[in-house]
Amino acid sequence: MKLSENPFCILGVSIRDSKQVIDEKADDRCFDEPEREEIFEKAKGILLNPQQRLQAELGWFPDVQPQEEQRLLSAAERQQAVFMSSVNKLAAMNQKLIGLPGKPRIANEIVFLDTAYREMDKEQLLAWVNRSRSVSGFPAVQGVEAIEAAWNEVRNNIREQLQEAVDSMAAGQYTQTALEVAQAVLRQQGQYGVIIQDFVDGYRLSVEQQLEDLEAHTLQLLDKVLANPSRNNVQAACEAMDQGGRLARPLTVMSVAEEINDFSYVGPVYNKLFNDVCVNLCKQKDEYGAAITLLEKLLSIAGDIPNAVKSINESLQFVREVKDEYDAAARAQSTADKPARPAPQSTMMSPQNASSSSSASGSSDNDGCGGCLLLLLLPAIGGAVAGPFGFVIGLVLAFMCADD
């Protein structure tokens, strides 16, 4: 029974109202909404029957004043929390359930509901119900056995309300909520109850087929990387790991909290990535960059899984060490293949050396200029002494001197 279907809600009566008030309220509702007469009559029949009434009482606000009931309902409609000190734990639990649908973040509410349901004192429940009955005039519930039998149905009510809230969420919000719940269980060192178990089981069922498909797709993409570690193939594999990792992370974190360590999706992908892709790329293709990129991507989606993080980090260290060894060997080979070069001479000179160098250079330049002048004069001198024949002989001598 959802809270919207609770007879107290349908008729708009308080848990402390008498049989007469309930009967009169039902008549008024039937008069105002004759098309819903059957619903109102059914609600009245449940509330007037002491045995059937118990389930509705546990789903409402027992031992709460009528004006406080209205405050709880108004706060729930506005999705506002109430202070625990002002109401009992059962009333607070039911108030949170009313406000769940349409709320984007409900992880804290789920954890609260789980704790409240798990730790609820059945004797206290019996006292709250019977105090309300003493005011309304209904006979008291005899013993906690009836409370315990009805309490299991409360679990079904909570499950239905949570499912309604989940159905109104976007897929990403649902996944994030499941992750936050799992992380809360991890922080509490695995302390949780049936409400969280029901929620996680529902999430697992909703993503099971999608995860299987994503796992197969990711493994196929890793095969493509092994065959051709191009940038496009590596990027496609990283995108698939992102998508599969987001869906699987709540389940893997929950498995860590339960000390099961069943790394759904992450485990098979890691085994394929390291044993096949990384090892073969390092040994055969020297594609260390692709291997490191893929391992770092897997590490980013395994942040809450200590054992997985440890294994991935060890694999990354292995690949990086192989890369360093290869790079060192390549540098050594490159150095060995290069021809030896003469040591460069310093361009810095002392003033004394600079002076000597300048003098020598100046002397050489002067000698060169004098030789050039003599060569130019030989043909002219020969021509002046012996005419054309002397010019030719002088020109020949000039060329011969130039060669020397």
Side-chain angles (χ1 to χ4, degrees), residues 187-228:
R187 288 193 298 270
Q188 296 172 358
Q189 299 181 337
Q191 296 297 315
Y192 67 100
V194 295
I195 302 303
I196 285 181
Q197 187 65 66
D198 290 344
F199 175 79
V200 173
D201 287 346
Y203 177 78
R204 179 180 289 108
L205 185 63
S206 69
V207 301
E208 187 174 27
Q209 186 59 54
Q210 192 176 357
L211 268 179
E212 288 182 6
D213 294 342
L214 278 170
E215 180 181 317
H217 179 57
T218 304
L219 297 182
Q220 290 175 354
L221 291 175
L222 290 177
D223 280 333
K224 288 186 177 181
V225 171
L226 181 57
N228 177 19

Short mmCIF file of all heavy atoms in Angstrom, two decimals, residues 187-228:
data_model
loop_
_atom_site.label_atom_id
_atom_site.label_comp_id
_atom_site.label_asym_id
_atom_site.label_seq_id
_atom_site.Cartn_x
_atom_site.Cartn_y
_atom_site.Cartn_z
N ARG A 187 31.26 3.35 4.01
CA ARG A 187 31.70 4.14 5.17
C ARG A 187 31.22 3.52 6.48
O ARG A 187 31.89 3.61 7.50
CB ARG A 187 31.17 5.58 5.05
CG ARG A 187 31.86 6.41 3.98
CD ARG A 187 31.52 7.88 4.14
NE ARG A 187 30.09 8.13 4.00
CZ ARG A 187 29.50 8.41 2.84
NH1 ARG A 187 30.20 8.44 1.72
NH2 ARG A 187 28.20 8.64 2.80
N GLN A 188 30.04 2.89 6.43
CA GLN A 188 29.50 2.26 7.63
C GLN A 188 30.02 0.84 7.82
O GLN A 188 29.51 0.10 8.65
CB GLN A 188 27.96 2.23 7.54
CG GLN A 188 27.32 3.60 7.53
CD GLN A 188 25.83 3.54 7.25
OE1 GLN A 188 25.26 2.47 7.04
NE2 GLN A 188 25.17 4.68 7.27
N GLN A 189 31.03 0.50 7.03
CA GLN A 189 31.69 -0.81 7.13
C GLN A 189 30.69 -1.96 6.96
O GLN A 189 30.70 -2.93 7.70
CB GLN A 189 32.42 -0.93 8.46
CG GLN A 189 33.52 0.11 8.63
CD GLN A 189 34.26 -0.02 9.94
OE1 GLN A 189 33.74 -0.58 10.91
NE2 GLN A 189 35.48 0.49 9.99
N GLY A 190 29.84 -1.80 5.96
CA GLY A 190 28.94 -2.88 5.59
C GLY A 190 27.70 -3.02 6.45
O GLY A 190 26.97 -4.01 6.34
N GLN A 191 27.43 -2.02 7.29
CA GLN A 191 26.23 -2.08 8.13
C GLN A 191 25.03 -1.54 7.36
O GLN A 191 24.93 -0.35 7.10
CB GLN A 191 26.45 -1.27 9.42
CG GLN A 191 27.55 -1.79 10.31
CD GLN A 191 27.24 -3.18 10.84
OE1 GLN A 191 26.13 -3.46 11.29
NE2 GLN A 191 28.23 -4.07 10.79
N TYR A 192 24.12 -2.42 6.99
CA TYR A 192 22.92 -1.99 6.28
C TYR A 192 21.86 -3.07 6.45
O TYR A 192 22.12 -4.16 6.96
CB TYR A 192 23.22 -1.75 4.80
CG TYR A 192 23.58 -3.01 4.02
CD1 TYR A 192 22.62 -3.65 3.24
CD2 TYR A 192 24.84 -3.55 4.08
CE1 TYR A 192 22.93 -4.80 2.53
CE2 TYR A 192 25.17 -4.69 3.39
CZ TYR A 192 24.22 -5.31 2.61
OH TYR A 192 24.53 -6.45 1.94
N GLY A 193 20.65 -2.74 6.00
CA GLY A 193 19.54 -3.66 6.18
C GLY A 193 18.81 -3.96 4.88
O GLY A 193 19.33 -3.74 3.78
N VAL A 194 17.58 -4.43 5.02
CA VAL A 194 16.84 -4.94 3.87
C VAL A 194 16.39 -3.83 2.92
O VAL A 194 16.18 -4.08 1.73
CB VAL A 194 15.62 -5.77 4.33
CG1 VAL A 194 16.08 -7.02 5.07
CG2 VAL A 194 14.69 -4.94 5.21
N ILE A 195 16.23 -2.61 3.40
CA ILE A 195 15.78 -1.53 2.53
C ILE A 195 16.86 -1.22 1.49
O ILE A 195 16.59 -1.11 0.30
CB ILE A 195 15.42 -0.28 3.34
CG1 ILE A 195 14.33 -0.60 4.37
CG2 ILE A 195 14.96 0.84 2.41
CD1 ILE A 195 13.07 -1.19 3.79
N ILE A 196 18.09 -1.08 1.96
CA ILE A 196 19.19 -0.85 1.02
C ILE A 196 19.41 -2.06 0.14
O ILE A 196 19.69 -1.93 -1.06
CB ILE A 196 20.49 -0.49 1.79
CG1 ILE A 196 20.39 0.95 2.30
CG2 ILE A 196 21.72 -0.66 0.91
CD1 ILE A 196 21.61 1.43 3.05
N GLN A 197 19.28 -3.25 0.71
CA GLN A 197 19.44 -4.46 -0.10
C GLN A 197 18.41 -4.51 -1.22
O GLN A 197 18.75 -4.83 -2.37
CB GLN A 197 19.30 -5.71 0.78
CG GLN A 197 19.63 -7.00 0.06
CD GLN A 197 21.08 -7.08 -0.35
OE1 GLN A 197 21.97 -7.13 0.49
NE2 GLN A 197 21.34 -7.07 -1.65
N ASP A 198 17.17 -4.16 -0.91
CA ASP A 198 16.13 -4.12 -1.95
C ASP A 198 16.46 -3.09 -3.02
O ASP A 198 16.28 -3.34 -4.22
CB ASP A 198 14.77 -3.79 -1.31
CG ASP A 198 14.23 -4.94 -0.47
OD1 ASP A 198 14.72 -6.07 -0.61
OD2 ASP A 198 13.32 -4.68 0.35
N PHE A 199 16.94 -1.93 -2.58
CA PHE A 199 17.27 -0.86 -3.54
C PHE A 199 18.41 -1.28 -4.45
O PHE A 199 18.35 -1.10 -5.67
CB PHE A 199 17.62 0.42 -2.78
CG PHE A 199 18.08 1.53 -3.68
CD1 PHE A 199 17.16 2.29 -4.39
CD2 PHE A 199 19.43 1.82 -3.82
CE1 PHE A 199 17.58 3.32 -5.23
CE2 PHE A 199 19.85 2.84 -4.66
CZ PHE A 199 18.93 3.59 -5.36
N VAL A 200 19.48 -1.84 -3.88
CA VAL A 200 20.64 -2.25 -4.68
C VAL A 200 20.26 -3.39 -5.62
O VAL A 200 20.69 -3.43 -6.78
CB VAL A 200 21.82 -2.66 -3.77
CG1 VAL A 200 22.96 -3.26 -4.58
CG2 VAL A 200 22.31 -1.45 -2.98
N ASP A 201 19.46 -4.33 -5.14
CA ASP A 201 19.01 -5.43 -6.00
C ASP A 201 18.20 -4.89 -7.18
O ASP A 201 18.34 -5.39 -8.32
CB ASP A 201 18.16 -6.42 -5.20
CG ASP A 201 19.00 -7.26 -4.25
OD1 ASP A 201 20.24 -7.27 -4.40
OD2 ASP A 201 18.42 -7.88 -3.34
N GLY A 202 17.38 -3.89 -6.92
CA GLY A 202 16.61 -3.27 -8.00
C GLY A 202 17.50 -2.59 -9.01
O GLY A 202 17.28 -2.68 -10.22
N TYR A 203 18.54 -1.92 -8.52
CA TYR A 203 19.48 -1.27 -9.44
C TYR A 203 20.23 -2.31 -10.27
O TYR A 203 20.39 -2.16 -11.48
CB TYR A 203 20.48 -0.41 -8.66
CG TYR A 203 21.53 0.22 -9.55
CD1 TYR A 203 21.23 1.34 -10.31
CD2 TYR A 203 22.80 -0.33 -9.67
CE1 TYR A 203 22.16 1.91 -11.15
CE2 TYR A 203 23.76 0.24 -10.51
CZ TYR A 203 23.42 1.36 -11.24
OH TYR A 203 24.35 1.90 -12.09
N ARG A 204 20.68 -3.37 -9.61
CA ARG A 204 21.42 -4.43 -10.32
C ARG A 204 20.55 -5.02 -11.43
O ARG A 204 21.02 -5.24 -12.56
CB ARG A 204 21.85 -5.52 -9.34
CG ARG A 204 22.61 -6.68 -10.01
CD ARG A 204 23.01 -7.73 -9.00
NE ARG A 204 24.08 -7.27 -8.12
CZ ARG A 204 23.92 -6.95 -6.85
NH1 ARG A 204 22.71 -7.04 -6.29
NH2 ARG A 204 24.94 -6.55 -6.12
N LEU A 205 19.30 -5.27 -11.13
CA LEU A 205 18.39 -5.84 -12.13
C LEU A 205 18.17 -4.87 -13.29
O LEU A 205 18.09 -5.29 -14.45
CB LEU A 205 17.06 -6.18 -11.46
CG LEU A 205 16.03 -6.90 -12.33
CD1 LEU A 205 16.55 -8.26 -12.78
CD2 LEU A 205 14.71 -7.05 -11.57
N SER A 206 18.11 -3.59 -13.00
CA SER A 206 17.81 -2.61 -14.05
C SER A 206 18.97 -2.41 -15.02
O SER A 206 18.75 -2.01 -16.16
CB SER A 206 17.43 -1.27 -13.41
OG SER A 206 18.55 -0.67 -12.80
N VAL A 207 20.22 -2.65 -14.58
CA VAL A 207 21.38 -2.39 -15.44
C VAL A 207 22.09 -3.68 -15.89
O VAL A 207 23.07 -3.61 -16.63
CB VAL A 207 22.41 -1.48 -14.73
CG1 VAL A 207 21.76 -0.15 -14.36
CG2 VAL A 207 23.01 -2.15 -13.51
N GLU A 208 21.58 -4.82 -15.44
CA GLU A 208 22.28 -6.08 -15.69
C GLU A 208 22.52 -6.34 -17.18
O GLU A 208 23.64 -6.60 -17.61
CB GLU A 208 21.49 -7.24 -15.07
CG GLU A 208 22.19 -8.57 -15.11
CD GLU A 208 21.43 -9.64 -14.36
OE1 GLU A 208 20.19 -9.53 -14.25
OE2 GLU A 208 22.07 -10.58 -13.88
N GLN A 209 21.47 -6.26 -17.99
CA GLN A 209 21.61 -6.54 -19.41
C GLN A 209 22.47 -5.49 -20.10
O GLN A 209 23.31 -5.81 -20.96
CB GLN A 209 20.23 -6.60 -20.07
CG GLN A 209 20.28 -7.03 -21.54
CD GLN A 209 20.92 -8.39 -21.71
OE1 GLN A 209 20.51 -9.37 -21.09
NE2 GLN A 209 21.96 -8.48 -22.54
N GLN A 210 22.30 -4.24 -19.72
CA GLN A 210 23.09 -3.18 -20.32
C GLN A 210 24.58 -3.36 -20.01
O GLN A 210 25.43 -3.12 -20.88
CB GLN A 210 22.61 -1.82 -19.81
CG GLN A 210 23.15 -0.63 -20.58
CD GLN A 210 22.57 0.68 -20.11
OE1 GLN A 210 21.71 0.72 -19.23
NE2 GLN A 210 23.04 1.77 -20.68
N LEU A 211 24.89 -3.78 -18.79
CA LEU A 211 26.29 -4.00 -18.42
C LEU A 211 26.89 -5.16 -19.20
O LEU A 211 28.05 -5.10 -19.62
CB LEU A 211 26.40 -4.27 -16.92
CG LEU A 211 26.65 -3.07 -16.01
CD1 LEU A 211 26.71 -3.50 -14.56
CD2 LEU A 211 27.93 -2.35 -16.41
N GLU A 212 26.12 -6.22 -19.39
CA GLU A 212 26.61 -7.35 -20.18
C GLU A 212 26.94 -6.91 -21.60
O GLU A 212 27.98 -7.30 -22.16
CB GLU A 212 25.57 -8.46 -20.19
CG GLU A 212 25.43 -9.20 -18.86
CD GLU A 212 24.41 -10.33 -18.93
OE1 GLU A 212 23.91 -10.59 -20.05
OE2 GLU A 212 24.11 -10.93 -17.89
N ASP A 213 26.06 -6.11 -22.19
CA ASP A 213 26.30 -5.63 -23.55
C ASP A 213 27.52 -4.71 -23.61
O ASP A 213 28.34 -4.79 -24.54
CB ASP A 213 25.06 -4.88 -24.07
CG ASP A 213 23.86 -5.80 -24.24
OD1 ASP A 213 24.06 -7.03 -24.28
OD2 ASP A 213 22.73 -5.28 -24.28
N LEU A 214 27.65 -3.83 -22.63
CA LEU A 214 28.79 -2.92 -22.60
C LEU A 214 30.11 -3.66 -22.38
O LEU A 214 31.13 -3.30 -22.96
CB LEU A 214 28.60 -1.87 -21.50
CG LEU A 214 27.71 -0.69 -21.85
CD1 LEU A 214 27.40 0.14 -20.62
CD2 LEU A 214 28.35 0.18 -22.92
N GLU A 215 30.06 -4.69 -21.58
CA GLU A 215 31.28 -5.48 -21.34
C GLU A 215 31.74 -6.14 -22.64
O GLU A 215 32.93 -6.07 -23.00
CB GLU A 215 31.02 -6.54 -20.28
CG GLU A 215 32.23 -7.41 -19.96
CD GLU A 215 31.93 -8.46 -18.91
OE1 GLU A 215 31.25 -8.13 -17.91
OE2 GLU A 215 32.35 -9.62 -19.09
N ALA A 216 30.81 -6.77 -23.34
CA ALA A 216 31.17 -7.41 -24.62
C ALA A 216 31.68 -6.37 -25.62
O ALA A 216 32.66 -6.61 -26.33
CB ALA A 216 29.96 -8.15 -25.18
N HIS A 217 31.03 -5.22 -25.66
CA HIS A 217 31.45 -4.16 -26.59
C HIS A 217 32.84 -3.65 -26.25
O HIS A 217 33.68 -3.45 -27.15
CB HIS A 217 30.44 -3.02 -26.54
CG HIS A 217 30.76 -1.86 -27.42
ND1 HIS A 217 30.93 -1.99 -28.78
CD2 HIS A 217 30.96 -0.54 -27.13
CE1 HIS A 217 31.20 -0.80 -29.31
NE2 HIS A 217 31.24 0.08 -28.32
N THR A 218 33.11 -3.45 -24.97
CA THR A 218 34.42 -2.95 -24.55
C THR A 218 35.53 -3.94 -24.89
O THR A 218 36.61 -3.55 -25.36
CB THR A 218 34.42 -2.66 -23.04
OG1 THR A 218 33.36 -1.76 -22.71
CG2 THR A 218 35.75 -2.05 -22.60
N LEU A 219 35.29 -5.22 -24.68
CA LEU A 219 36.29 -6.23 -24.99
C LEU A 219 36.59 -6.28 -26.49
O LEU A 219 37.73 -6.47 -26.90
CB LEU A 219 35.83 -7.60 -24.48
CG LEU A 219 35.65 -7.73 -22.97
CD1 LEU A 219 35.23 -9.15 -22.59
CD2 LEU A 219 36.92 -7.33 -22.22
N GLN A 220 35.55 -6.07 -27.29
CA GLN A 220 35.76 -6.02 -28.74
C GLN A 220 36.62 -4.80 -29.13
O GLN A 220 37.51 -4.90 -29.99
CB GLN A 220 34.41 -5.94 -29.47
CG GLN A 220 33.61 -7.23 -29.40
CD GLN A 220 32.23 -7.08 -30.01
OE1 GLN A 220 31.83 -5.99 -30.41
NE2 GLN A 220 31.49 -8.18 -30.09
N LEU A 221 36.36 -3.67 -28.48
CA LEU A 221 37.14 -2.47 -28.77
C LEU A 221 38.60 -2.64 -28.34
O LEU A 221 39.51 -2.14 -29.00
CB LEU A 221 36.53 -1.26 -28.07
CG LEU A 221 35.17 -0.80 -28.62
CD1 LEU A 221 34.60 0.34 -27.77
CD2 LEU A 221 35.30 -0.34 -30.08
N LEU A 222 38.83 -3.37 -27.25
CA LEU A 222 40.21 -3.63 -26.82
C LEU A 222 40.93 -4.53 -27.81
O LEU A 222 42.14 -4.39 -28.03
CB LEU A 222 40.21 -4.24 -25.42
CG LEU A 222 39.80 -3.30 -24.28
CD1 LEU A 222 39.77 -4.04 -22.95
CD2 LEU A 222 40.73 -2.09 -24.19
N ASP A 223 40.20 -5.45 -28.43
CA ASP A 223 40.80 -6.26 -29.50
C ASP A 223 41.22 -5.38 -30.68
O ASP A 223 42.26 -5.61 -31.30
CB ASP A 223 39.80 -7.33 -29.96
CG ASP A 223 39.76 -8.53 -29.02
OD1 ASP A 223 40.77 -8.78 -28.35
OD2 ASP A 223 38.71 -9.19 -28.95
N LYS A 224 40.41 -4.37 -30.97
CA LYS A 224 40.76 -3.46 -32.06
C LYS A 224 42.01 -2.66 -31.72
O LYS A 224 42.85 -2.40 -32.59
CB LYS A 224 39.59 -2.51 -32.34
CG LYS A 224 38.40 -3.17 -33.03
CD LYS A 224 37.35 -2.13 -33.40
CE LYS A 224 36.19 -2.78 -34.14
NZ LYS A 224 35.17 -1.77 -34.53
N VAL A 225 42.12 -2.27 -30.46
CA VAL A 225 43.31 -1.54 -30.03
C VAL A 225 44.55 -2.42 -30.18
O VAL A 225 45.62 -1.96 -30.62
CB VAL A 225 43.17 -1.06 -28.57
CG1 VAL A 225 44.49 -0.51 -28.04
CG2 VAL A 225 42.08 0.01 -28.47
N LEU A 226 44.41 -3.70 -29.83
CA LEU A 226 45.53 -4.62 -29.94
C LEU A 226 45.97 -4.77 -31.40
O LEU A 226 47.16 -4.83 -31.70
CB LEU A 226 45.15 -5.98 -29.35
CG LEU A 226 46.22 -7.07 -29.36
CD1 LEU A 226 47.47 -6.60 -28.63
CD2 LEU A 226 45.69 -8.34 -28.72
N ALA A 227 44.97 -4.82 -32.30
CA ALA A 227 45.30 -4.96 -33.72
C ALA A 227 45.84 -3.67 -34.31
O ALA A 227 46.73 -3.68 -35.16
CB ALA A 227 44.05 -5.40 -34.50
N ASN A 228 45.31 -2.54 -33.82
CA ASN A 228 45.75 -1.24 -34.34
C ASN A 228 45.58 -0.19 -33.25
O ASN A 228 44.50 0.36 -33.07
CB ASN A 228 44.91 -0.86 -35.57
CG ASN A 228 45.29 0.52 -36.11
OD1 ASN A 228 46.36 1.03 -35.82
ND2 ASN A 228 44.39 1.10 -36.89
#
